[in-house]
Each structure stands twice: as C-alpha cells, then as structure tokens.
Amino acid sequence: MIFPIFFAFVLLLSTSHAAVQDFCVADYKAPEGPAGYSCKQPARVTVDDFVFSGLGVAGNTTNIIKAAVTPAFAAQFPGVNGLGISLARLDLAPGGVIPFHTHPGASEVLVLVQGTLVAGFISSDNTVYLKTLKKGDVMIFPQGLLHFQVNAGGSSALAFVSFSSPSPGLQILDFALFKNNLPTSLIAATTFLDVAQIKKLKGVLGGTN
Ligand SMILES: *[C@@H]1O[C@H](CO)[C@@H](O)[C@H](O)[C@H]1NC(C)=O
C-alpha cells in the first residue's frame, strides 16, 4: 500500500513543476490556425485583453435582414483565445431576422434580454425544434445544426449568445447559395429551386453566374 502512495506523491511533485499556462491571449501578428491564434507574450498581456466593451453598443440594423450580429470572438476579443468560449450580441429591429445559419465549430446558448423571438433549429434527422422566447428565456442551439431567430414582437429585440469555442464560425445558408458565383444552373439542380427565384435572390444578395 505504501509504494503506490509514494509513487502518487512523486508524480504529484513532478507535475507541479510543469509550466502552467493560465491563458493564451491572441497575438494578431500571425494568422489564426486550427488551434487558434498563437499566444501573446505574458509580459505584454494587460487586463484590457480580457475586457471587451463592444457589446454595450447596439448593432446597426439598417440592412436587408433588419438585424445585426456583433461578435466577441477570438478575432475581436483576444482574451477568449484558447479558452473554448466566446460571445456575441444580437439586435433585431421589428421584422428582423437572423437567417438560417450554422456555427460549424460551437454549440450556442442564447439569453433573450428584451423583446420576443421565434427561434428554432433543425436536427440532423430533420426534426424541428421551435419556440417563442420571451424576455429572460434561454435556448440552446447544438453545434453545427441549422438555426434561426426571428423578431416576433412589435419592438426591437436584444439577445446575447455565448459559444463553446473562441471561433465558432458562422455560415449563413442563403449567403452560401446566393451570394457567390456558384452557377444558377447548379443551384437549381442541387436545390430543386426555380431559376427565377435563384436569380432574384442573387440579385438581392450580390451573387453572380
Ligand atoms: C447604418 O447602416 C446604414 C446602411 O449601411 C447607414 O446608411 C447608416 O448610416 C448606419 N447608421 C449608423 C448609425 O451607423
């Protein structure tokens, strides 16, 4: 019995000398890799690297979706780099929509601070999970699944979302289909949508071909 205890003690002593890295504040001098940004030298890190003030300001909702996403991801907020977390602010004017999108790299939790939202996601077996959220409600959107939020009230809505990754990624379905140069014929063939509808959406979103 004594020997295993001694062995565990030695192990404890040896690991206690290993370097502990408390954080890895993003160093923006090099591009982001799969594991995030490289770490700023700890001596150059200040408290401001861990504070982000941008979420106190409403996003500009004068746009086609009448909504704005203000991210505090690793690219904007150096302190979250390497910590597996990030957040964003959602503003939706009356009639505003955060269109169908996915975050390939993170699950999301939303807390509705003001207004009313209809929010939903579609699971990979195509089940619909749909809910009208009121102030104070929280909803989860599992990693990688298509989801959306729609302002269902007559006033503006405000929500904060947090993510299980410092770089959750954001892919908007309609932008992927209609905001690039993927040929209309191929979009029609792969989505079964009418060519006229595809051309109309490309016109609105800036797609070509
Ligand atoms: C919001 O965006 C619109 C459209 O880009 C622009 O015309 C307007 O000046 C912006 N408003 C503010 C307060 O920045």
Side-chain angles (χ1 to χ4, degrees):
M1 195 58 200
I2 298 235
F3 184 71
I5 290 172
F6 175 75
F7 185 72
F9 186 66
V10 168
L11 200 70
L12 205 68
L13 275 182
S14 61
T15 54
S16 71
H17 289 293
V20 172
Q21 198 167 346
D22 292 329
F23 45 74
C24 176
V25 168
D27 183 347
Y28 295 130
K29 284 203 265 333
E32 189 178 20
Y37 291 94
S38 44
C39 311
K40 198 169 165 180
Q41 277 181 5
R44 291 178 42 236
V45 169
T46 72
V47 67
D48 290 335
D49 289 314
F50 301 105
V51 175
F52 186 84
S53 297
L55 300 191
V57 182
N60 187 342
T61 57
T62 307
N63 54 48
I64 185 173
I65 61 172
K66 297 182 184 161
V69 178
T70 307
F73 300 166
Q76 296 83 27
F77 189 6
V80 298
N81 187 57
L83 297 183
I85 52 171
S86 64
L87 62 167
R89 171 185 176 128
L90 308 183
D91 289 283
L92 294 91
V97 177
I98 310 286
F100 256 125
H101 64 281
T102 73
H103 306 286
S107 292
E108 170 178 341
V109 53
L110 175 150
V111 55
L112 184 58
V113 173
Q114 181 188 305
T116 309
L117 290 182
V118 169
F121 67 87
I122 314 293
S123 67
S124 34
D125 71 0
N126 299 313
T127 304
V128 177
Y129 295 85
L130 185 64
K131 189 76 178 176
T132 299
L133 305 177
K134 58 186 190 328
K135 182 177 170 176
D137 286 346
V138 167
M139 185 167 174
I140 304 286
F141 304 92
Q143 179 166 351
L145 299 184
L146 279 166
H147 60 282
F148 61 84
Q149 291 98 18
V150 176
N151 187 343
S155 61
S156 37
L158 169 63
F160 292 94
V161 288
S162 61
F163 296 94
S164 59
S165 164
S167 295
L170 168 62
Q171 184 169 39
I172 297 175
L173 181 60
D174 272 16
F175 290 7
L177 288 171
F178 309 117
K179 205 184 178 202
N180 54 31
N181 61 1
L182 184 61
T184 296
S185 57
L186 265 180
I187 300 172
T190 52
T191 64
F192 307 101
L193 291 171
D194 292 340
V195 165
Q197 181 68 56
I198 295 166
K199 287 193 164 155
K200 181 179 157 198
L201 285 164
K202 281 193 168 195
V204 173
L205 295 174
T208 57
N209 281 337

